[in-house]
C-alpha cells in the first residue's frame, strides 16, 4: 500500500464513520435514555477497524464487506453475549443463538411500547446492530468503492425509522447534524478526487502554510493540489442547502403542519380536506398504564356527583388484528369556531331525553403532557369552549386539532350523560342501516371458534341488552379472567383467540377489544373507546386523573340512547382500580362489587330539555357561579397565555434589523481598538503596500526601548486612559483609511481598490461638494495613509486628529447624499455585509485547516511510517 492510498483509506474511513454517527443522532426520539448512542459508537469503531484491516490487502470489495460484518459480530458478541463466547470475544453457536433470542425479544418489545421505548437489552441490541449495518454499508461505499453520494441512502434509512413511528418530524438540530455529516463526507470525497486533476498549482497561502524545512511528510503533502477554494465553495453551497431544507418547511404554510414557531396555517385553514393521523392509540395506552411515576395527567371540576369516563378516541374499525378509527377527513367546516356557540352536532342515536343529565365540566391538562391532539371529554359532548384550532368529527364526536396540543390548556365542556334503564335498552329496536353496515362488520379471518364462543356465552338471551350483559358478566366474574398488565397486547387475531380461550390474562385493551368483537359477531353495533376513568376525588367536586387511569372500554349502540358504555374489565384492587360498572348494564353485579352508581337526576321534561340543542343553555343556567380555584382556570379565561410565537417572531425581526447596524458599530470600535494595540483587523481588502509593510519587524519608536510602551506627554494613551500604550501611527492611519472606505461604501459613493489615496480623494471630490473643513479632513486622512504605506519614517498625523477627521468626513458624506442613502448607511450598511462574508470565509478556512490537521495526525498515529 503506498502513502497516498493509505492516507486516503484512513481519511475516508473516518469521514464515513463520522457521517454514520451524525445520521444516528436522528434516532434520539425513539429511546428514553442516551446509552444507546455510545453502544452505536462502539459498533461504528469496530466496523471502521475491520474495514481498514481488510483494505490493507488488494482484495475483492466483497472481502471488505465481510470484514465489516465480522467485526460487527465480534463487537455485538463482546457487548451482549460475552458469557457464551469463547474468551468473551470469539462467537460460538451459543452466543449466536443468544443474540438471535435477544433480537426476537427486542422486536417484541419494540412492538409493545410506544416511543420513547425503554432501553431493554433486546432493544439496545436492535439499535446497535442497525447502526452497525449502516456503518458497514457506508464504509463499503465510501472507503472501498469510492461512491460517497449513494452513501446517503443508508443514512437516510435511519431517519425513516423515527419518521415512521412518530407523529412529529425530527428535531431541526438532529436533522442539521445528520445533514452536516453527509455534506462533510461529500466535501472530503470531492477533495480527494481533486488530487487526480493534474500538476500542482502553488499559491502564496500554500507556501506560507507549508514550510519546507526538511520535513519529508510535509514535502510529500505539497504534492497535492490546493483545493481549499473548491472546498470553501462546497461548504457554502452545503450550508445554504441545509438552511433552505430546514427553514423553508417551517416557514411556508402547508409544508409544515405547525408552521414557523407553531403559527403556520397547517390545519387546513384554507378550506381544504386533510386526513388526521395520530400514533397508535393502543400503544399509547400501554405506555400510560406502565409508567413508573404515575404522574398527574389532568384535573377537573364537574357538576356530576359521580362523573363518567373521559373519552379520547372511538375506534370503529377492526381489521382482524387491531382496532383503530376510520380516517378523519377534516375540513374548515369542522372547526369549533365555525360552529354556532361552539355547539357540537347532536349525539348519534340519542333521541330519548328521559334520564339524560346535563353535566358541566371544567378540565385542565397538565403542561407536561405532550402531543395530546385529542381532547379528553365526557360523552356525549354538546358544547366545548377552548382556544385554538380545534375540530369535531360529527360521527364519533371526537374533538381534535391538526396543529395544537392540549398540554397546558384549560377548557369547559357541556355534555349530555345518558342514564338509561335496563328496560329502555331491552326494548330498543330498529338499528339504522348505516350503523349496522359499519359497526357490525367482522373480518373473515376471525376464527370460527370465536363465533361459537359468542353464541355459547349468550345462549338463551332474548335481547341485545341481555346479550351485552351476559358478555360483560362472563369477562368480569364467570369466565375466569385475570387482570395482568404484563400480558403483551394483541398483535394478531391468534393473540385474541389465545386470550379468550387459553391464557385469559390481560388488561383493559384485551377486554374491551374482545367484548366489542363478540358483540359485533352477535349483530350488536360496537366500537372500542379509549381515554381515562374518572380518577380520584380530592374534594366535593374536584377530581384528579393520573397515568394509571388510562383505560379502554367497549361502547355499544342502542336505538334511542345511542352509544352507551359497558365495562368488561375487572375493577378494584384486582383490576383497573378506578373503573366501575354502569348501573344499566347489570345492577346486581354492580351491587356485588360495591360499584353501584348513584342515580342521576334527570333533566326536567320541559320543552327546552327535550331538545338536545337546548341542553347547553339549561346547563349554563344550572351551573354554579363559583367554580373555585383547584388549579383550574376561570370560565372565559384565555387558555393560550401570551402569544409566545408572535413575540419570538417580533424579537427575531428586531434582531435581524439591528444586526447590520450593530455589526458596523462593533467593527468600527474593534478597528480603532486594534489600531491602538498596533495591529489592524482584517476587514475588507487591505492595501497591498500596507500588507507587505505589515510583515516587516517593527522597530522601536524614538525614545522607547524594545518592547516598552511609549506614552504621550500627558502620560495618557490613545484613548485618553492613563497608562495605556501609545498606538503605532501607521496602524492608526490604516484604520482611519479603512473607516473612510467603509463610510463611502455605506453611503453609496464610488471607491476603487486600485486607486491611490490621492486618486481616491480626487474621485470623491468630483462626486461631492465638500466644504473647506471636510475637504481638509479628507486630505489629511489620505496623506496619513500615504505616509503609512510608502514613508513610514515621516511622522503621520496624530491619532486623535485622525479620528476627528474620519467623523467629519462621515458627516460630510451623509450631508451630500439623499435621505434614502443616509438611512441605508445607518441601519443597513453594506460594509457590514462584507464583514460577515470575510468572517465566514475565515471560519471556513480555519475549519478546513483543522480538518487537514486532524487527518494528518490520524495518519501519523495509525499508519506505519512507510505508508504515510
Amino acid at each position: 500500500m503506498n502513502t497516498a492510498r493509505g492516507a486516503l483509506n484512513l481519511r475516508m474511513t473516518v469521514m464515513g464513520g463520522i457521517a454514520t454517527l451524525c445520521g444516528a443522532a436522528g434516532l434520539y426520539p425513539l429511546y428514553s435514555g442516551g446509552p444507546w448512542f455510545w453502544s452505536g459508537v462502539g459498533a461504528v469503531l469496530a466496523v471502521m477497524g475491520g474495514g481498514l484491516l481488510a483494505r490493507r490487502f488488494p482484495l475483492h470489495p466483497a472481502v471488505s464487506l465481510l470484514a465489516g460484518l465480522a467485526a460487527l459480530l465480534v463487537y455485538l458478541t463482546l457487548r451482549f453475549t460475552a458469557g457464551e463466547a469463547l474468551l468473551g470475544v470469539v462467537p460460538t453457536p451459543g452466543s449466536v443463538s443468544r443474540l438471535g433470542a435477544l433480537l426476537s425479544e427486542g422486536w417484541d418489545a419494540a412492538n409493545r411500547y410506544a416511543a420513547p421505548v425503554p432501553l431493554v437489552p433486546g432493544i439496545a441490541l436492535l439499535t446497535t446492530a442497525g447502526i452497525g449495518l449502516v456503518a458497514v454499508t457506508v464504509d463499503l461505499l465510501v472507503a472501498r468503492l469510492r461512491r460517497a453520494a449513494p452513501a446517503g441512502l443508508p443514512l437516510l434509512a435511519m431517519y425513516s425509522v423515527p419518521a415512521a413511528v412518530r407523529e412529529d418530524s425530527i428535531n431541526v438540530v438532529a436533522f442539521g447534524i445528520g445533514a452536516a455529516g453527509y455534506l462533510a463526507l461529500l466535501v472530503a470525497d470531492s477533495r480527494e478526487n481533486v488530487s487526480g486533476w493534474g500538476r500542482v498549482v502553488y499559491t502564496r497561502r500554500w507556501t506560507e502554510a507549508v514550510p519546507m524545512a526538511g520535513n519529508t511528510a510535509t514535502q510529500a503533502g505539497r504534492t497535492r493540489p490546493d483545493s481549499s477554494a473548491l472546498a470553501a465553495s462546497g461548504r457554502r453551497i452545503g450550508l445554504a442547502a441545509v438552511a433552505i431544507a430546514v427553514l423553508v418547511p417551517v416557514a411556508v404554510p402547508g409544508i409544515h403542519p405547525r408552521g414557523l414557531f407553531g403559527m403556520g396555517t397547517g390545519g387546513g385553514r384554507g378550506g381544504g380536506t386533510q386526513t388526521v393521523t395520530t400514533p397508535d392509540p393502543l400503544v399509547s395506552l400501554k405506555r400510560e398504564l406502565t409508567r413508573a411515576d404515575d404522574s398527574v395527567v389532568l384535573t377537573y371540576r364537574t357538576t356530576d356527583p359521580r362523573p363518567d369516563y373521559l373519552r379520547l378516541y372511538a375506534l370503529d374499525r377492526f381489521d382482524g388484528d387491531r382496532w383503530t378509527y376510520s380516517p378523519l377527513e377534516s375540513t374548515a367546516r369542522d372547526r369549533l369556531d365555525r360552529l354556532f356557540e361552539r355547539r357540537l352536532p347532536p349525539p348519534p342515536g340519542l333521541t330519548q331525553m328521559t334520564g339524560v343529565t346535563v353535566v358541566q365540566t371544567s378540565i385542565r391538562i397538565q403542561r407536561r403532557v405532550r402531543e395530546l391532539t385529542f381532547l379528553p371529554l365526557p360523552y356525549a359532548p354538546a358544547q366545548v369552549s377552548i382556544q385554538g384550532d380545534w375540530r369535531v368529527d360529527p360521527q364519533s364526536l371526537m374533538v381534535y386539532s391538526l396543529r395544537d396540543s392540549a398540554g397546558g390548556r384549560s377548557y369547559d365542556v357541556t355534555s349530555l350523560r345518558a342514564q338509561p334503564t335496563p328496560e329502555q335498552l331491552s326494548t330498543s329496536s330498529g338499528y339504522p342501516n348505516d350503523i349496522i353496515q359499519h359497526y357490525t362488520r367482522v373480518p373473515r379471518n376471525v376464527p370460527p371458534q370465536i363465533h361459537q364462543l359468542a353464541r355459547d356465552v349468550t345462549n338463551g338471551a332474548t335481547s341485545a341488552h341481555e346479550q351485552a350483559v351476559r358478555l360483560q358478566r362472563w369477562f368480569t366474574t364467570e369466565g375466569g379472567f385475570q387482570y395482568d398488565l404484563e400480558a403483551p397486547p394483541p398483535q394478531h387475531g391468534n393473540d385474541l383467540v389465545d386470550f379468550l380461550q387459553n391464557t385469559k390474562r390481560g388488561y383493559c385493551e384485551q377486554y374491551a377489544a374482545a367484548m366489542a368483537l363478540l358483540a359485533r359477531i352477535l349483530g350488536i353495533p360496537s366500537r372500542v373507546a379509549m381515554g381515562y376513568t374518572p380518577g380520584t376525588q380530592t374534594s366535593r367536586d374536584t377530581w384528579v386523573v393520573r397515568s394509571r387511569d388510562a383505560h379502554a372500554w367497549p361502547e355499544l349502540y342502542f336505538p334511542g340512547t345511542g352509544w352507551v358504555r359497558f365495562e368488561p374489565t375487572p375493577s378494584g384492587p384486582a383490576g383497573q382500580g378506578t373503573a366501575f360498572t354502569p348501573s344499566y348494564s347489570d345492577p346486581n353485579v354492580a351491587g356485588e362489587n360495591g360499584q353501584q352508581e348513584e342515580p342521576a337526576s334527570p333533566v326536567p321534561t320541559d320543552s327546552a330539555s327535550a331538545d338536545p340543542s337546548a341542553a347547553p343553555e339549561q346547563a349554563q343556567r344550572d351551573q354554579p357561579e363559583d367554580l373555585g380555584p383547584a388549579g383550574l382556570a376561570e370560565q372565559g379565561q384565555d387558555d393560550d397565555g401570551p402569544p409566545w410565537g408572535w413575540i419570538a417572531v417580533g424579537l427575531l425581526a428586531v434582531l435581524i434589523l439591528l444586526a447590520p447596524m450593530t455589526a458596523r458599530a462593533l467593527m468600527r470600535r474593534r478597528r480603532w481598538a486594534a489600531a491602538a494595540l498596533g495591529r489592524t483587523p482584517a476587514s475588507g481588502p487591505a492595501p497591498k503596500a500596507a500588507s507587505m509593510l505589515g510583515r516587516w519587524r517593527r522597530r522601536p519608536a524614538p525614545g522607547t526601548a524594545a518592547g516598552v510602551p511609549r506614552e504621550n506627554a500627558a502620560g495618557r494613551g490613545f484613548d485618553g486612559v492613563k497608562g495605556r500604550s501609545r498606538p503605532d501611527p501607521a496602524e492608526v492611519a490604516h484604520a482611519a483609511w479603512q473607516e473612510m472606505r467603509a463610510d463611502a461604501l455605506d453611503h453609496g459613493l464610488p471607491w476603487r481598490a486600485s486607486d491611490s489615496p490621492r486618486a481616491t480623494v480626487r474621485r470623491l471630490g468630483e462626486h461631492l461638494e465638500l466644504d473647506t473643513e471636510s475637504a481638509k479632513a479628507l486630505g489629511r486622512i489620505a496623506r496619513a495613509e500615504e505616509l503609512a504605506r510608502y514613508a513610514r519614517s515621516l511622522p503621520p498625523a496624530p491619532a486623535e486628529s485622525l479620528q476627528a477627521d474620519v467623523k467629519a468626513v462621515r458627516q460630510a458624506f451623509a450631508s451630500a447624499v439623499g435621505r434614502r442613502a443616509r438611512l441605508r448607511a445607518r441601519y443597513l450598511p453594506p460594509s457590514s455585509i462584507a464583514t460577515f462574508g470575510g468572517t465566514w470565509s475565515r471560519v471556513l478556512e480555519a475549519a478546513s485547516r483543522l480538518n487537514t490537521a486532524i487527518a494528518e495526525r490520524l495518519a501519523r498515529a495509525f499508519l506505519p511510517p512507510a505508508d504515510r
Side-chain angles (χ1 to χ4, degrees):
M1 179 186 299
N2 57 29
T3 303
R5 179 171 297 180
L8 171 62
N9 283 333
L10 180 59
R11 278 191 295 268
M12 297 311 298
T13 299
V14 171
M15 292 306 302
I18 293 176
T20 303
L21 293 177
C22 291
L27 299 175
Y28 79 95
L30 301 180
Y31 310 101
S32 57
W36 64 270
F37 181 78
W38 303 112
S39 182
V41 170
V44 173
L45 293 177
V47 170
M48 290 167 54
L52 283 174
L53 181 62
R55 285 188 290 274
R56 290 185 63 88
F57 308 98
L59 301 174
H60 193 272
V63 177
S64 295
L65 176 63
L66 295 177
L69 293 174
L72 177 61
L73 178 59
V74 171
Y75 173 75
L76 296 178
T77 302
L78 176 64
R79 173 73 173 79
F80 296 98
T81 61
E84 290 83 1
L86 180 62
L87 302 177
V89 177
V90 181
T92 63
S95 66
V96 174
S97 177
R98 177 58 181 160
L99 285 176
L102 280 177
L103 288 174
S104 179
E105 294 175 6
W107 184 258
D108 293 339
N111 290 325
R112 186 181 309 125
Y113 297 103
V117 299
L119 200 63
V120 298
I123 292 180
L125 174 59
L126 274 177
T127 305
T128 306
I131 296 176
L133 291 176
V134 172
V136 170
T137 307
V138 172
D139 184 74
L140 175 67
L141 292 172
V142 172
R144 185 63 179 87
L145 300 180
R146 297 301 311 279
R147 297 292 185 269
L153 295 178
L155 296 177
L156 183 62
M158 288 193 289
Y159 278 94
S160 66
V161 177
V165 301
R166 297 180 73 248
E167 177 184 8
D168 289 347
S169 59
I170 298 174
N171 184 273
V172 172
V173 176
F175 172 80
I177 292 174
Y182 179 58
L183 291 175
L185 178 64
L186 295 180
V187 170
D189 181 69
S190 299
R191 295 189 67 175
E192 298 300 335
N193 289 336
V194 170
S195 62
W197 282 5
R199 65 183 183 85
V200 179
V201 179
Y202 295 100
T203 64
R204 175 178 58 82
R205 180 180 302 172
W206 193 341
T207 305
E208 295 174 357
V210 184
M212 300 297 294
N215 190 331
T216 305
T218 306
Q219 293 177 11
R222 289 189 59 190
T223 60
R224 298 172 54 82
D226 184 5
S227 59
S228 58
L230 293 174
S233 300
R235 282 190 291 269
R236 293 189 187 98
I237 295 172
L239 179 65
V242 173
I244 293 173
V246 170
L247 296 178
V248 169
V250 300
V252 177
I255 296 181
H256 193 279
R258 301 182 187 273
L260 184 62
F261 298 106
M263 300 181 303
T265 55
R269 289 181 184 267
T273 301
Q274 289 191 339
T275 301
V276 183
T277 58
T278 61
D280 190 339
L282 296 177
V283 175
S284 302
L285 171 65
K286 176 68 172 181
R287 179 180 61 186
E288 288 294 297
L289 289 173
T290 55
R291 287 181 65 97
D293 55 355
D294 192 22
S295 55
V296 175
V297 176
L298 60 91
T299 58
Y300 66 93
R301 303 193 68 179
T302 179
T303 59
D304 192 345
R306 186 63 182 273
D308 204 4
Y309 294 0
L310 302 174
R311 193 194 63 169
L312 279 168
Y313 308 104
L315 312 181
D316 59 333
R317 295 180 60 187
F318 181 66
D319 59 5
D321 295 330
R322 304 278 288 172
W323 283 87
T324 184
Y325 58 79
S326 300
L328 304 181
E329 300 295 335
S330 178
T331 65
R333 295 189 302 271
D334 301 327
R335 290 175 53 184
L336 294 182
D337 55 4
R338 298 288 182 90
L339 305 176
F340 179 68
E341 293 185 357
R342 296 178 180 260
R343 294 183 186 175
L344 276 61
L350 181 58
T351 57
Q352 298 179 0
M353 298 305 297
T354 304
V356 175
T357 304
V358 178
V359 177
Q360 185 70 29
T361 308
S362 295
I363 303 174
R364 164 163 284 185
I365 309 295
Q366 294 298 306
R367 193 172 299 275
R368 55 164 290 276
V369 177
R370 303 294 182 186
E371 301 180 1
L372 185 63
T373 56
F374 282 64
L375 294 183
L377 302 171
Y379 191 80
Q383 185 176 8
V384 178
S385 178
I386 186 173
Q387 297 294 327
D389 182 8
W390 293 89
R391 308 174 181 225
V392 60
D393 176 50
Q395 299 301 322
S396 63
L397 297 184
M398 294 187 294
V399 178
Y400 59 91
S401 177
L402 297 173
R403 65 183 184 92
D404 294 330
S405 174
R409 293 180 181 267
S410 300
Y411 53 95
D412 298 327
V413 186
T414 300
S415 57
L416 306 179
R417 184 177 182 186
Q419 288 289 320
T421 63
E423 291 75 15
Q424 288 177 330
L425 298 180
S426 298
T427 57
S428 63
S429 59
Y431 292 108
N433 290 332
D434 57 337
I435 296 293
I436 288 291
Q437 293 176 2
H438 185 74
Y439 293 99
T440 60
R441 188 175 303 165
V442 178
R444 294 182 180 180
N445 60 352
V446 175
Q449 56 265 39
I450 301 300
H451 290 260
Q452 185 61 42
L453 177 63
R455 291 188 290 267
D456 293 342
V457 172
T458 60
N459 186 28
T462 58
S463 67
H465 172 257
E466 187 176 356
Q467 288 177 322
V469 169
R470 291 195 179 189
L471 288 176
Q472 177 179 278
R473 183 186 296 121
W474 182 67
F475 282 107
T476 55
T477 59
E478 299 175 355
F481 290 87
Q482 293 186 7
Y483 187 83
D484 184 8
L485 278 175
E486 298 299 326
Q491 299 289 336
H492 307 287
N494 293 333
D495 298 337
L496 188 59
V497 174
D498 188 59
F499 166 71
L500 289 172
Q501 294 187 335
N502 300 323
T503 63
K504 294 190 175 182
R505 302 177 68 91
Y507 56 98
C508 55
E509 176 185 343
Q510 287 95 327
Y511 288 97
M515 181 172 174
L517 175 60
L518 296 180
R520 286 195 173 190
I521 291 174
L522 297 173
I524 306 174
S526 62
R527 64 190 184 189
V528 173
M530 276 189 55
Y532 296 94
T533 59
T536 305
Q537 189 173 12
T538 58
S539 65
R540 182 178 61 86
D541 57 354
T542 305
W543 298 71
V544 175
V545 175
R546 298 180 175 272
S547 339
R548 295 291 179 88
D549 296 320
H551 193 49
W553 62 92
E555 289 182 344
L556 277 60
Y557 184 93
F558 292 89
T561 306
W563 293 101
V564 294
R565 176 181 66 85
F566 283 79
E567 187 53 87
T569 304
S571 58
Q576 220 289 356
T578 53
F580 65 92
T581 303
S583 59
Y584 53 78
S585 63
D586 193 340
N588 295 326
V589 173
E592 295 170 3
N593 293 339
Q595 298 289 343
Q596 175 67 40
E597 275 194 287
E598 297 178 10
S601 301
V603 177
T605 57
D606 54 6
S607 58
S609 62
D611 184 7
S613 63
E617 289 84 354
Q618 181 68 26
Q620 192 69 26
R621 291 194 298 268
D622 296 340
Q623 179 189 1
E625 294 182 359
D626 182 17
L627 293 178
L632 293 177
E634 295 296 330
Q635 281 188 305
Q637 181 179 352
D638 187 359
D639 298 327
D640 283 346
W644 296 114
W646 289 110
I647 293 176
V649 169
L651 292 176
L652 180 61
V654 171
L655 291 176
I656 292 175
L657 292 176
L658 293 179
M661 180 174 61
T662 305
R664 179 69 180 94
L666 292 176
M667 191 61 209
R668 179 183 297 120
R669 184 172 182 178
R670 176 172 175 260
R671 183 174 285 130
W672 289 116
L677 298 177
R679 60 178 184 270
T680 303
S683 61
K688 183 176 181 181
S691 63
M692 294 175 62
L693 290 172
R695 299 193 188 97
W696 296 353
R697 178 176 299 177
R698 292 192 178 91
R699 294 170 295 182
T704 62
V708 179
R710 182 188 62 178
E711 295 185 353
N712 57 16
R716 296 182 180 272
F718 174 54
D719 52 1
V721 179
K722 187 174 182 179
R724 293 286 182 88
S725 61
R726 170 168 291 187
D728 185 351
E731 299 298 347
V732 174
H734 294 326
W737 185 255
Q738 291 179 9
E739 267 299 299
M740 190 177 71
R741 172 185 176 275
D743 290 333
L745 294 177
D746 293 340
H747 291 85
L749 300 176
W751 189 282
R752 293 182 182 180
S754 59
D755 285 350
S756 65
R758 293 186 183 184
T760 301
V761 170
R762 184 172 57 255
R763 191 179 302 278
L764 289 174
E766 294 174 355
H767 287 77
L768 301 174
E769 296 181 0
L770 300 177
D771 55 26
T772 304
E773 293 299 326
S774 300
K776 290 181 178 180
L778 182 61
R780 287 193 293 268
I781 297 173
R783 176 170 176 76
E785 176 66 12
E786 284 183 336
L787 294 176
R789 291 190 189 185
Y790 312 117
R792 289 174 60 95
S793 60
L794 297 178
E800 292 81 358
S801 64
L802 283 180
Q803 277 190 297
D805 290 339
V806 169
K807 185 176 180 180
V809 170
R810 184 185 310 119
Q811 294 174 352
F813 288 169
S815 302
V817 298
R819 183 170 179 269
R820 178 178 296 182
R822 286 197 301 270
L823 293 177
R824 184 188 64 175
R826 177 180 292 272
Y827 298 106
L828 294 174
S831 61
S832 62
I833 301 176
T835 301
F836 287 144
T839 303
W840 180 243
S841 297
R842 290 191 294 273
V843 170
L844 292 179
E845 182 179 350
S848 177
R849 292 179 178 177
L850 178 63
N851 185 20
T852 303
I854 292 175
E856 292 177 353
R857 184 175 294 273
L858 290 174
R860 289 194 297 269
F862 293 100
L863 292 179
D867 293 338
R868 293 177 190 170

